[in-house]
Amino acid sequence: ESQLVKVVNVGFSSVGNFANGAVSDYSDIGSVAGTFRTTFYDVDYIGTAIPTTRVTITGILNSRTTTQIGNHITARDLADFASAVATVTSSVYTVDDGALTITNIPYSTSLATFKGNITPATGATWNVFDADGTTPATVLDDTKKLIVTAADDITKSTYTITRNAALTDASL
């Protein structure tokens, strides 16, 4: 009997398009690896590109004992693939996704202006919060955090915000 599960924040090592009855390897950020099998032949993802970014897969666990032996996960349709990319970009500020920092923000930047210069990954949502990470910010300062949630509604990243130093009479 099969069970519906989620495999969170995985990347495929296979490239190309999904094909009927094919097996593709995936792994998470740590040491968990598995296989995805296109068990259903009439699903809407057959012929579409295998994701090249990290995804969360909702699917059915299944086992094969003859060809393609092993335990696999199989998506029911394309909607079972949700982006696990929890990043933002900016054409104005410096965003470092490795360090999870946003810098080079002019000191006097308002919260509204800051928000207007941030773009989330496709399907992701985000907001700026006070230091507690739960209270939405009402002003922008260096104690704030930008928290982005990927389209999978599971994967999150928390960025620190650092504004440039305030200009003083001595620095003018």
Side-chain angles (χ1 to χ4, degrees):
E1 199 168 302
S2 297
Q3 182 176 8
L4 190 65
V5 299
K6 284 190 181 205
V7 182
V8 179
N9 198 1
V10 298
F12 283 93
S13 57
S14 304
V15 295
N17 293 340
F18 287 116
N20 286 326
V23 173
S24 302
D25 294 329
Y26 67 81
S27 62
D28 70 0
I29 295 174
S31 60
V32 175
T35 53
F36 176 88
R37 184 173 191 279
T38 54
T39 301
F40 306 121
Y41 285 73
D42 60 348
V43 293
D44 59 352
Y45 57 83
I46 299 299
T48 65
I50 296 170
T52 57
T53 58
R54 303 195 75 73
V55 295
T56 292
I57 305 167
T58 300
I60 299 167
L61 294 178
N62 58 92
S63 296
R64 309 235 356 134
T65 58
T66 54
T67 60
Q68 300 170 333
I69 297 170
N71 298 315
H72 312 287
I73 185 169
T74 299
R76 300 162 298 172
D77 54 39
L78 195 55
D80 281 343
F81 297 92
S83 173
V85 178
T87 59
V88 295
T89 60
S90 175
S91 61
V92 177
Y93 314 124
T94 303
V95 178
D96 184 333
D97 290 324
L100 295 176
T101 59
I102 304 172
T103 58
N104 199 27
I105 305 163
Y107 185 81
S108 61
T109 301
S110 71
L111 181 61
T113 298
F114 175 79
K115 285 182 167 186
N117 290 313
I118 297 293
T119 303
T122 301
T125 59
W126 65 277
N127 203 353
V128 178
F129 295 91
D130 287 345
D132 64 9
T134 59
T135 306
T138 57
V139 297
L140 185 66
D141 63 44
D142 292 349
T143 67
K144 306 305 183 210
K145 299 175 181 180
L146 184 150
I147 301 176
V148 58
T149 304
D152 66 4
D153 207 30
I154 298 169
T155 309
K156 295 180 186 242
S157 295
T158 300
Y159 290 83
T160 59
I161 296 170
T162 306
R163 297 173 303 154
N164 298 341
L167 296 177
T168 63
D169 289 341
S171 62
L172 295 176

